[in-house]
Amino acid sequence: MHDDHYGLSGRPFQLTPDPRFWFDTATHRKAMAYLGYGLSQGEGFVVITGDPGVGKTTLMGHLLGEIDEQRLNVIKIVSTQLRPEDLLQTVCAGLEIDATGASKAAMLAAVEHGLHAVARDGRRTLLIIDESQALPAESLEELRMLSNFQAGGYPLLQIFLLGQPEFRLTLQDGKLEQLRQRVIAMHHLAPMDANEVEPYLLHRLSLVGWRGKPRFTNDALAAMHRWSGGIPRRVNQLAGRVLLFGAIEQLDTFGAPELAAVIADLDNDSAGPAAKRSPAFAEPLELRDIAPMAMGTPTPSEPVAARSLRVEAVAETPEPVAEAALDRRIAELEKQLQEQDAALRRVLTLLVDWVESGDGERRPDLSSLRGHAA
């Protein structure tokens, strides 16, 4: 209904996560940098936490769209309190292994064999688990054991864990000390700041053909941030209801009174308080001095024409342009990373073949690769 009234080609504020609507908030940009760094290391665990609706699933969907499938074999699991045996069966399925009726020992052997097969094909395996806070401690320990699989000193499996804030408390369990030591990067997705709400709305509207209506006053934007607490899903929930209200009332501009009416309806529907910000968490790893990695680095959103959602005209501040020297340095690092990756993949293939051949007397010939993986 509101799509027709505002001339939009689709629903800009659907509640289902959709990577097409990825928006670069400061916290999501930092999360992508952490994930890119983790991928470049090729080992250990990367942990991303955040409140429900803050964009963890959209983040991972965006990452998967950036990953080169010829370099990584991705297994994605949404956790529903999986016990260790169920977890192993799910991993087996991701490796296209039939584990029906198999014992735990047989499944572990099958998983190791499957990881070797993927590595022989020149790829690494990335296991992504969403809703990790639902995993029992025994299943998390099983994941740590899976991360031990290697070929010639190279890890065969890397694991990304996504969960709600309480997952950080789970990781503090003394039984998970060994897993915690293998976490190479951790980031907590924070809600949007107040000044990110307008560009967020504009970005989503522009993707479905926005042509200048609807528009929002400064007071309306402030009210949206207050009610939503900066949680993207709650912003979408409120914005969708606002557009429906506007279509019914034939409104093209929304101010504080209109927002107050819609918020009152929503509060009556849910009978719950507005979302609150989660407490900030200390980062165990800082990336200030680490250059962005080519794999996993988010693609910047296309710039939108110089228009504003607000009724008042607001001059936009242009983004700072990177210096030429920095661009050249980044290009050099990306080229070097690609060369190293190609060499390491050849090394990994040779080592896997050597390990599986069982010929301990004959070492693999790596002489042709020397100088490429430096």
Side-chain angles (χ1 to χ4, degrees):
M1 180 178 181
H2 58 268
D3 300 346
D4 295 335
H5 177 72
Y6 295 111
L8 304 177
S9 61
R11 295 184 299 158
F13 302 114
Q14 62 185 22
L15 301 182
T16 304
D18 189 342
R20 293 179 305 152
F21 288 94
W22 164 263
F23 178 72
D24 254 346
T25 67
T27 188
H28 286 82
R29 190 158 49 247
K30 187 175 182 181
M32 282 298 294
Y34 275 73
L35 293 172
Y37 168 76
L39 287 173
S40 73
Q41 299 305 295
E43 63 177 351
F45 292 78
V46 176
V47 177
I48 302 293
T49 58
D51 288 316
V54 82
K56 299 183 294 297
T57 303
T58 301
L59 169 72
M60 200 51 57
H62 179 68
L63 174 71
L64 294 179
E66 298 288 305
I67 284 178
D68 184 356
E69 294 182 355
Q70 294 183 350
R71 300 172 67 182
L72 281 175
N73 173 47
V74 180
I75 302 173
K76 191 171 185 299
I77 299 174
V78 178
S79 170
T80 54
Q81 297 184 340
L82 292 173
R83 306 301 302 176
E85 290 77 7
D86 298 327
L87 180 62
L88 287 175
Q89 284 187 345
T90 307
V91 174
C92 284
L95 292 170
E96 299 182 351
I97 298 170
D98 184 5
T100 305
S103 65
K104 181 178 177 180
M107 285 190 288
L108 284 171
V111 168
E112 184 174 17
H113 180 77
L115 293 174
H116 276 275
V118 173
R120 193 180 303 108
D121 193 37
R123 296 190 297 166
R124 291 189 288 115
T125 298
L126 173 65
L127 174 61
I128 300 173
I129 301 184
D130 202 353
E131 302 296 342
S132 297
Q133 76 281 350
L135 283 176
E138 296 82 2
S139 297
L140 290 171
E141 178 61 15
E142 199 68 52
L143 289 175
R144 183 191 67 81
M145 297 299 293
L146 291 179
S147 71
N148 286 332
F149 290 140
Q150 298 181 356
Y154 290 90
L156 295 175
L157 179 66
Q158 186 174 31
I159 302 173
F160 286 179
L161 300 175
L162 284 69
Q164 295 182 18
E166 57 265 30
F167 183 54
R168 289 202 168 194
L169 298 177
T170 300
L171 291 177
Q172 298 306 311
D173 189 327
K175 298 178 182 178
L176 299 175
E177 173 64 23
Q178 293 187 68
L179 184 151
R180 195 162 58 248
Q181 291 177 2
R182 300 190 184 193
V183 174
I184 63 172
M186 185 181 294
H187 178 66
H188 182 74
L189 282 173
M192 289 188 290
D193 291 331
N195 60 2
E196 292 178 312
V197 172
E198 182 184 13
Y200 174 80
L201 297 175
L202 178 58
H203 171 72
R204 296 186 73 101
L205 285 166
S206 297
L207 289 176
V208 292
W210 180 71
R211 294 293 182 269
K213 65 175 187 177
R215 301 173 73 87
F216 299 85
T217 66
N218 291 341
D219 289 343
L221 293 170
M224 294 183 79
H225 184 264
R226 282 195 305 271
W227 185 85
S228 67
I231 302 294
R233 186 183 297 160
R234 287 179 62 84
V235 173
N236 291 351
Q237 181 186 14
L238 177 55
R241 288 288 288 267
V242 166
L243 295 191
L244 177 60
F245 176 79
I248 294 172
E249 300 295 332
Q250 297 294 297
L251 300 174
D252 292 337
T253 299
F254 298 98
E258 291 77 20
L259 263 294
V262 175
I263 287 172
D265 285 342
L266 281 171
D267 287 343
N268 287 335
D269 290 345
S270 61
K276 296 182 180 180
R277 287 180 177 269
S278 295
F281 289 88
E283 300 294 345
L285 173 65
E286 289 297 335
L287 299 180
R288 296 189 185 96
D289 301 324
I290 300 176
M293 299 297 170
M295 180 184 293
T297 303
T299 304
S301 303
E302 291 294 328
V304 183
R307 290 183 294 173
S308 172
L309 282 171
R310 304 181 189 181
V311 176
E312 298 82 11
V314 178
E316 295 189 359
T317 304
E319 293 287 334
V321 181
E323 296 180 1
L326 180 59
D327 289 338
R328 287 196 299 272
R329 179 58 178 156
I330 292 175
E332 292 172 359
L333 289 172
E334 290 179 345
K335 181 180 179 182
Q336 183 180 4
L337 183 62
Q338 290 173 358
E339 293 174 351
Q340 291 176 349
D341 179 76
L344 289 173
R345 280 199 286 170
R346 292 197 295 273
V347 170
L348 185 58
T349 300
L350 288 172
L351 288 172
V352 169
D353 290 339
W354 176 59
V355 169
E356 294 193 341
S357 70
D359 186 358
E361 298 296 328
R362 182 180 62 84
R363 292 181 175 275
D365 181 12
L366 304 180
S367 59
S368 63
L369 299 174
R370 292 194 178 103
H372 292 283

